[in-house]
Amino acid sequence: MSGKEIRRSMPLFPIGTVMQLTELSARQIRYYEEHQLISPARTDGNRRLFSLNDIDKLLEIKDLIDQGVNMAGIKQLFSVKEQQAVVLEKQSEKAKPELTDEQLRNLLRNEIMHSGRLNRSTLRQGDMSRFFH
Amino acid sequence: MSGKEIRRSMPLFPIGTVMQLTELSARQIRYYEEHQLISPARTDGNRRLFSLNDIDKLLEIKDLIDQGVNMAGIKQLFSVKEQQAVVLEKQSEKAKPELTDEQLRNLLRNEIMHSGRLNRSTLRQGDMSRFFH
DNA sequence: ACATCATGTTAGATTTTCTAACATGTAAAA
DNA sequence: TTTTACATGTTAGAAAATCTAACATGATGT
């Protein structure tokens, strides 16, 4: 892990920007944090700062909610998905240890985007991956 | 123009985030705006919101200042560079009208990054292109 | 009818950002 | 060497954005 992942988890956006980007209310965003679906960073003055990963997660949450999933369900899905990602990462490491970090990450990314990770492909709302490429 | 360029010019970041990302003071950032080197968007409540392009420009400004260029010089450089970009764009359009928008943009991007546009390659500070890839 | 969930709304406090003004160090000009 | 201009720092007061906590509400399930 590094480079791209570091950038994706960098705290950059205030809640106002995130509201616009996700079309969620401040109340909703804070509620999801309360239920530990996201954990945005804080400024010294205690204002939330969201990363691109946070925003992606919020878009996923929004989608799942639209499909009727509740907080508990989303929480489960997230932790399962997290597991999967770890497993896939390990496999990739073993399978092709001569790959570049870059190549490895791209591989992983594809696998996750397509098969595993939260059926990312069903996300109707644009996700933040647009912001990379 | 569209897609990536739209995203790069989307107003997202408050001045606090930009200060950290660029290591410039609020005073400096506002001063550069005063001299029309950047034109960040505003919220309804008149707070500045910066785009990725704005941040790239600020990093360029910082570098030029380090090299002793003053406001007027930077302004000139920016407008010349702007010209170049337009010219290159036109040429590309004529030369290969059968290219995809995507392809075209990538082409342009390379040309601009390497030869033309503000000697981008001399930027020691990381620029925001990291945020795309 | 009652409880729970997800969200809205409001109030009061705190942080962040804004503009405008004045202060200062450095370098160029007179 | 005074004087100017430039780039930046600092401060003050106002306005906007965000925070937490509390209470309100519609939908759903029991």
Side-chain angles (χ1 to χ4, degrees):
Chain A
M1 192 283 283
S2 95
K4 185 165 295 191
E5 253 320 285
I6 288 179
R7 276 168 251 138
R8 287 191 75 79
S9 61
M10 189 175 290
L12 297 172
F13 310 99
I15 200 170
T17 295
V18 176
M19 290 170 64
Q20 295 208 144
L21 252 23
T22 61
E23 300 183 84
L24 292 168
S25 68
R27 184 65 166 95
Q28 288 176 299
I29 294 170
R30 296 192 191 114
Y31 186 74
Y32 303 151
E33 180 187 20
E34 203 172 303
H35 287 263
Q36 301 154 57
L37 302 183
I38 50 171
S39 304
R42 299 288 182 130
T43 65
D44 289 344
N46 200 39
R47 268 79 247 253
R48 292 174 180 79
L49 274 189
F50 299 78
S51 69
L52 288 164
N53 277 333
D54 289 327
I55 294 177
D56 278 350
K57 262 190 166 176
L58 286 171
L59 291 172
E60 290 175 357
I61 292 169
K62 198 183 177 190
D63 217 61
L64 290 170
I65 293 228
D66 280 354
Q67 301 176 222
V69 184
N70 64 11
M71 297 296 104
I74 297 175
K75 201 165 174 181
Q76 288 301 312
L77 279 170
F78 277 11
S79 79
V80 167
K81 185 198 41 136
E82 189 56 39
Q83 280 299 98
Q84 290 244 177
V86 172
V87 170
L88 284 177
E89 182 132 21
K90 288 234 160 122
Q91 285 184 339
S92 297
E93 271 171 27
K94 296 218 160 181
K96 321 195 173 184
E98 72 287 341
L99 289 181
T100 311
D101 253 29
E102 183 67 26
Q103 296 173 310
L104 225 167
R105 260 181 290 115
N106 285 336
L107 249 181
L108 237 181
R109 191 157 185 67
N110 278 329
E111 295 181 44
I112 293 171
M113 297 279 268
H114 295 318
S115 52
R117 198 148 185 131
L118 231 183
N119 308 311
R120 191 77 152 265
S121 55
T122 69
L123 264 183
R124 280 163 231 117
Q125 308 276 5
D127 78 324
M128 289 304 285
S129 65
R130 286 177 305 168
F131 272 89
F132 294 96
H133 124 137
Chain B
M1 193 282 283
S2 96
K4 184 165 296 191
E5 253 321 285
I6 288 179
R7 276 168 252 138
R8 287 191 73 81
S9 62
M10 189 174 290
L12 297 172
F13 310 97
I15 200 169
T17 295
V18 176
M19 289 170 63
Q20 295 208 142
L21 251 26
T22 61
E23 300 183 84
L24 292 167
S25 68
R27 184 66 165 94
Q28 288 176 300
I29 295 170
R30 296 191 191 113
Y31 186 73
Y32 302 151
E33 180 188 21
E34 202 173 303
H35 288 263
Q36 302 154 57
L37 302 183
I38 52 172
S39 304
R42 299 288 183 131
T43 65
D44 288 343
N46 199 40
R47 268 78 247 253
R48 291 174 182 79
L49 274 189
F50 299 78
S51 68
L52 287 164
N53 276 333
D54 289 328
I55 294 177
D56 278 350
K57 261 189 167 179
L58 285 171
L59 290 171
E60 290 175 356
I61 292 169
K62 198 184 178 190
D63 217 61
L64 289 170
I65 293 229
D66 280 354
Q67 302 176 223
V69 184
N70 64 11
M71 297 296 104
I74 297 175
K75 202 165 175 182
Q76 288 302 312
L77 279 170
F78 278 10
S79 79
V80 167
K81 186 198 41 138
E82 188 56 38
Q83 280 298 99
Q84 291 244 179
V86 171
V87 169
L88 284 176
E89 183 133 19
K90 288 233 160 122
Q91 285 186 339
S92 297
E93 271 172 25
K94 296 219 160 180
K96 321 197 173 184
E98 73 286 343
L99 289 180
T100 311
D101 252 28
E102 183 68 24
Q103 297 173 308
L104 224 167
R105 260 182 289 113
N106 285 335
L107 248 182
L108 237 181
R109 192 158 184 65
N110 277 329
E111 297 182 43
I112 292 171
M113 296 279 268
H114 295 318
S115 52
R117 198 149 184 126
L118 231 184
N119 308 310
R120 191 77 152 264
S121 54
T122 70
L123 264 182
R124 280 162 232 121
Q125 308 275 4
D127 77 325
M128 289 304 285
S129 65
R130 287 178 304 167
F131 272 88
F132 294 95
H133 128 131

